[in-house]
Amino acid sequence: MPDGMNIDYDGLIPNNVGLNADARVRKALETWHPGYIDWWKDMGPEGFQDSLVYLRTAIGVDPKGWAKFDYVKMPEYKWGILLAPAVPDRKIPFGKHKGEPVWQEVPGEYRAMLRRLITVQGDTEPASVEQQRHLGTTAPSLYDLRNLFQVNVEEGRHLWSMVYLLHKYFGTEGREEAEELLARRSGHQDTPRMLGAFNEATPDWLSFFMFTFFTDRDGKMQLEALAQSGFDPLSRTCRFMLTEEAHHMFVGDSGVQRVVERTVEAMQQAGITDAHDIAGVRKLGVIDLPTIQKKINLHFSLTLDLFGNEISTNAANAFNAGIKGRYREDKLEDDHQLLEATYPVLRHVGGDFITEDVPALSALNLRLRNDYVQDCNSGITRWNRVIEKAGIDFRLALPHVAFNRHIGEFAAIHTDIAGQIIDDAAWAKLQDHVLPNQGDADYITSLMVAVTEPGAFAGWIAAPRVGIDNKPGDFEYVQVVA
Amino acid sequence: MSAKLIDFRTEPSAYRHWKLEFDGNIAHLIMDVDSTAGLFDGYELKLNSYDLGVDIELNDAVQRLRFEHPEVQAVIFRSGKENVFCAGANIRMLSKASHVHKVNFCKFTNETRLAIEDASAQSGQTYICAIKGTAAGGGYELAVTADYIMLIDDRKSSVSLPELPLLAVLPGTGGLTRVTDKRKVRRDLADVFCTTEEGVRGKRAVQWRLVDEVLPPSAWVEGVSSRARALAEKSDRPRDAKGIALPRLAREITPDTVTYRHVQVVLEPARRRATITIHGPGNPAPDSVEAAQSLGADFWPLAMARDLDDAILHLRLNEPELGLLVFRSIGDVASVLAHDEFLAANANHWLMREITHYLKRTLKRVDVTSRSLITLIEPGSCFAGTLAELAFAADRAVMFAGSAIGDNRPPAAITLGVMNFGPYKMGNGLTRLETRFLGEAASVVRARSLVGTTLDADAAMEAGLVTASYDATDWDDEIRIMLEERASFSPDSLTGLEANLRFAGPETMETRIFGRLTAWQNWIFQRPNAVGVDGALQRYGSGQQPVYDRNRV
Ligand SMILES: [Fe+2]
Ligand SMILES: [Fe+2]
């Protein structure tokens, strides 16, 4: 399939990479397949494996009209290997190989680096499915339940994409890594997932929305950076994953927004204007704005850790090698090599924050993180508009980047949400006021009751403005089989 | 690096990078490097990476564990940081350091690592390394000094020697040698290991013998401590004994002298020379081990060893241009020998054993010091027993024959003692006399028959114990000419010559580390592929790949 636009649905594994003609990789993937299905049944959404879910399935990779919607049992979802169409004559867009034709095979000297990047990316995909597997039983609506499952099956498909690359390009080591991806378990003491945020629990639906808003957005940034890669199969894989990822962002963004909408609506109806009247607001059965802010504080800070050390040799090496670019590298106007450039880095030195100009190559993690923060802020702005319109004097905000960090420049210090450095004792006292505490968790948990009637929504969240696939409000997105 | 004075004296309350915790007969030696407390400016000690300052503290901790803690039978060596065990020597420090500093740094770290192995092998204080997080490069080299290595199997903790692929240098602090000679890793697997940047983790690390055991996180803490308890069981260290304190060493530095209690160093920069004078015991040997123990750090053999150890280190790091070290001694021969006898007679006492091994290590520090060593045996000197080793450690020993008119000091003499025939093995596994008389076993036998006999210059020459002897008429001139000539040669070729001649005889892991691995590393450290502007060390962290001269040399 030289144009890579059509998907072959004939074999066991749907694909647009000519798997039929590639006996070695096909056999490897067919060998991996049963383990994947076992993993899905063990660790995928709990209790809904036989339900019919109104899911979109990719039928092509053309940006216009690439998916169709239909009822599917999740274990029968057509997970496949889909790469965005090849760009003819694509050149390596950055780094020391800039301008050379992109690689279709892995250059030997970058093999280990590429394998590591793909493995780390791949590990996050099943991790979030595991983290979210219990949420189905407390979904606030069938609409939300369906969105959860859509995200889950697509994360599963992202795993397939990464595993394809491992099998196709990385030999025996790639096969071993692919096995390991099925063996690790989110939050497991002995076999945890590779990155911290992917071992945290997703205990409730507000966490789920926050996760898809903040943590899937990190995924988006990483995919954007890898989509620029000079290793063309990786670039094409990530480009297609990004089309799916957009929906995950939407689920998070609109999910939080609907929570905020419902909260301010209830406050208005009850005549409460003080957002800090937490007890009063909670009596209304909605989630108070300060608690939403705490969730933001938590998920934002955990996700910032995923960007790694601000100053990183690995990031520099990956860029210079042409393996991992910057966010929207193709839209940036500079020499795309950065050998002489510098970049300002906020550092913590001797008890103070200072801004230091460091070689731009070594600050690429931070640069991506800065782009990420900007992207997050657009969501915050939208949510605040809802609050503002309701005339409530409260604004959500991102905490300072040094707040609650465990990796990088600020790992060793504590700050308040404004970035004021505080000592251990002050931090111990502050924590409950800036991060969700047990009382907050108990309250939110008390709201988590499944709503399964088509068109109905739990009292703490507003209905969406439009349905999925333009379906009417009372559409039965999930036909639950008990 | 600046000309700031490097001080090897420290103590736990001053540590920036290490913590010692005690749990009965188990000690925890915890590496928790303060990234802001590098010895020099211009780099941060991130990820538990180390510089000389970190190693100075480690050396001190290892020493104190032996002397101050007879009750400690096993030491758990671990990281105080969450995600990293130790990332090895700090790369930015290495790329900024002068060649001289790098070589001295590596030598000292090598000695410290051998001291750890010496504690496990000789002192009944067994080191167990508990690796959680990555142990990369020097981090694994440190780990592999332990008798027993445990690695957590959390699917990310790993051991690696990435020097070659990452930095274009070698795992030069014994790593390469210990992988093959100590861990006995098969050579082809060692080849894979040393060229794989990310290293090896989990069960494969055990299969390849890079570690002894892997444990899942759920079994980790208990597994490590029960292993430590089991190893401690085998120790002969007395759990009920009390240690002795090692107080801060008294030392006075002036522009041309460094003065300790038992050692005096006179610096003569114009002559590129330092003269180290060792003073014999001021008191008779104690009459019981209790008495010796109550002297503690004042007990002459220990006090002298501490002074000499510090003097050698001070000269190495702070006086790099003094290429010639002249050893002299002053004191009472009988008293030196009496102390030797005392150590030998109480060799099974934990403290006497520690002191003897410390003397051994100090003498070995002299052996691997890359300065020309000349020992002058003059009237009034006390080169007997332990101190006679300095005559055999030297590149040349020259003895005064007869006596000078009007000199009422005792005539120059060498006296052999029990300590010259066993306790002070060199790195090659032989005594200095065995090494000296490699092809003449009969000379060792004859030397043994001379134990206790006061040997004058003729007798010492006859026995092959000194290089030359001169009488009063020639002494001053001959010595002056010899020293001036020595100081005029190329320091590099002298270093090479001396290192080759000093270690005759069998190869051991230790001689391979100092002789072979270090020599190759020092060569690589001079080559543009590592240290040139486009070399790997300079480019590390810049994101730019190094440019290599592809010629195989
Ligand atoms: Fe994903
Ligand atoms: Fe996603």
Side-chain angles (χ1 to χ4, degrees), chain A residues 96 110 112 115-116 176 180 183 189-191 313 316-317 320 339 347 361-362 409, chain B residues 44 46 92 153-156 197-198 201 204 216-218 540-545:
Chain A
K96 79 164 178 178
Y110 304 137
R115 197 189 68 229
R116 246 186 335 263
E176 282 169 28
E180 291 276 292
Q189 190 188 11
D190 286 347
T191 59
T313 301
N317 289 344
N320 194 54
L339 297 183
R347 310 198 59 195
L361 271 175
S362 53
E409 286 294 322
Chain B
E44 286 171 73
K46 287 190 170 168
R92 279 186 217 287
D153 186 4
D154 56 5
R155 313 260 169 149
K156 53 185 181 199
E197 194 184 312
E198 67 197 83
R201 60 187 158 86
R204 178 175 296 167
S218 54
Y540 179 77
S542 73
Q544 295 184 59
Q545 271 82 12

Side-chain angles (χ1 to χ4, degrees), chain B residues 252-265:
Chain B
E252 191 190 334
I253 298 184
T254 69
D256 35 64
T257 60
V258 186
T259 307
Y260 304 85
R261 203 154 31 137
H262 302 291
V263 171
Q264 161 123 51
V265 185

Side-chain angles (χ1 to χ4, degrees), chain A residues 243-310:
Chain A
T243 57
E244 294 163 317
E245 207 63 56
H247 177 66
H248 309 181
M249 308 285 101
F250 162 81
V251 169
D253 195 342
S254 63
V256 177
Q257 176 153 341
R258 287 162 52 216
V259 176
V260 173
E261 280 169 2
R262 180 66 198 115
T263 300
V264 298
E265 183 190 37
M267 286 170 71
Q268 278 179 313
Q269 285 165 358
I272 299 178
T273 50
D274 179 8
H276 293 282
D277 179 7
I278 293 173
V281 172
R282 285 187 180 181
K283 275 196 202 113
L284 308 174
V286 296
I287 303 172
D288 52 284
L289 298 175
T291 298
I292 295 174
Q293 177 64 52
K294 284 179 175 181
K295 287 274 196 185
I296 291 172
N297 295 344
L298 176 69
H299 287 267
F300 180 69
S301 57
L302 283 174
T303 304
L304 290 187
D305 279 344
L306 295 174
F307 288 85
N309 285 307
E310 285 84 345

